[in-house]
Amino acid sequence: MTVFNLGSINADHFYRLPHLPAPGETLAAQDYAIGLGGKGANQSVALARAGAEVRHVGAIGEDGRWMVDRMTAAGVDCRHVAELPGASGHAIIEVETSGENLIIVYPGANRAISPGQALFALNTARAGDWLVMQNETSAQVEAAQAARAAGMTVVYSAAPFDAGSVRAVIDHISLLIVNEIEAAQLCADFGVTLQELPVARLVVTLGARGATWYDLAAGTQVSAPAFHVAPVDTTGAGDTFAGYLVAGLAEGLPSADAMRLASAAAALKVTRAGTADAIPARAEVEAFLKVQPSE
């Protein structure tokens, strides 16, 4: 199976701080670094490092060629990444000593992806392939419609959360991934309980408490506890989880096994500073799982 990812590509500017600033407070950063990020790029790198064949559909500005080079080096097929006028997307990421973060994102070229570009990329897809999306690009509705019509499995990470964006694509989604705050917001917007959301499968991530898989059509659920690690930087943990989850499902793992694999990958990620560059390889994740107690 090939996984197509209509996703953002950002330059992540990291500032390590003694604590996150309060309104009006000025802080001197203890450290600074720049790296590859964006929810889309993070998920593509996670997919590739998990062993999936992944084709990224996205856009950069002229300042973003180094990001494409880094994604390619990680094993991501970037033939469908366009270079457009203007700036690439970028993020300002403030990380405090506990590992918690505060992020400001400028979308840049990510919001200039045309429906035509997305549909051209999906013309090469086959029934049974996967489409992954997040809410950081344009052309989501057109891509989701085309993918579902082509017999693809459509996965949507509803972040940054916007209820209207979810509503626009939910009829075409095979699997929806949200955190518990986003799940509550979505239920409130639809006026339903979690089990009544109009999607076949749902994953709710719970931070340090793990994640839960809901098969809403069958009325079943699977819980995946989080692994206990000392966090260094939580940035990109959710994207690592999502990428590994989809890679596991695409290769045919049962949902419980794919969730455990994804939880282990996310646990390893938070022990490292950075985003895409800090996502672990499949061999590292499997080695980590071997020393974990059986459930």
Side-chain angles (χ1 to χ4, degrees):
M1 304 293 181
T2 300
V3 181
F4 291 77
N5 183 3
L6 173 60
S8 57
I9 304 172
N10 287 342
D12 282 350
H13 299 267
F14 290 93
Y15 300 86
R16 189 160 293 278
L17 303 171
H19 60 267
L20 297 181
E25 181 180 12
T26 300
L27 285 177
Q30 299 168 327
D31 193 20
Y32 166 76
I34 185 171
L36 170 65
K39 297 190 71 63
N42 294 341
Q43 291 187 15
S44 279
V45 170
L47 281 157
R49 290 189 174 157
E53 179 184 342
V54 54
R55 297 184 186 178
H56 194 95
V57 184
I60 56 167
E62 293 180 359
D63 58 337
R65 295 171 190 169
W66 67 271
M67 295 188 284
V68 173
D69 291 341
R70 198 165 292 184
M71 291 172 67
T72 301
V76 180
D77 184 332
C78 292
R79 74 181 76 178
H80 297 299
V81 175
E83 183 177 308
L84 304 176
S88 300
H90 64 262
I92 305 299
I93 303 173
E94 302 171 358
V95 184
E96 66 175 10
T97 53
S98 70
E100 287 302 318
N101 60 64
L102 186 154
I103 304 173
I104 300 170
V105 178
Y106 173 71
N110 297 310
R111 290 291 186 186
I113 299 169
S114 69
Q117 178 193 344
L119 296 181
F120 178 80
L122 293 176
N123 280 340
T124 62
R126 299 168 296 175
D129 285 345
W130 293 62
L131 172 65
V132 173
M133 304 188 303
Q134 321 79 36
N135 191 27
E136 289 189 334
T137 72
S138 48
Q140 296 169 26
V141 175
E142 295 86 355
Q145 290 174 334
R148 198 59 184 268
M152 300 175 71
T153 300
V154 182
V155 182
Y156 186 65
S157 295
F161 182 77
D162 176 76
S165 296
V166 180
R167 280 184 173 275
V169 298
I170 200 164
D171 289 343
H172 313 292
I173 295 173
S174 312
L175 171 63
L176 176 64
I177 303 175
V178 292
N179 63 32
E180 58 185 331
I181 296 173
E182 293 160 351
Q185 292 172 323
L186 190 60
C187 288
D189 183 78
F190 274 83
V192 298
T193 66
L194 192 71
Q195 287 73 18
E196 294 171 331
L197 285 170
V199 64
R201 292 174 289 174
L202 172 72
V203 169
V204 180
T205 59
L206 307 168
R209 292 181 288 113
T212 302
W213 167 286
Y214 297 90
D215 188 325
L216 299 182
T220 60
Q221 66 185 66
V222 175
S223 294
F227 295 93
H228 297 292
V229 295
V232 172
D233 182 358
T234 59
T235 313
D239 296 328
T240 301
F241 179 93
Y244 263 83
L245 175 65
V246 172
L249 294 171
E251 70 183 49
L253 291 181
S255 56
D257 294 341
M259 291 276 283
R260 181 170 166 80
L261 178 72
S263 294
L268 279 177
K269 162 61 202 74
V270 302
T271 65
R272 306 168 179 180
T275 43
D277 298 320
I279 294 172
R282 179 70 172 262
E284 296 176 282
V285 178
E286 291 180 344
F288 175 82
L289 282 170
K290 286 180 180 178
V291 300
Q292 300 303 313
S294 299
E295 297 177 14

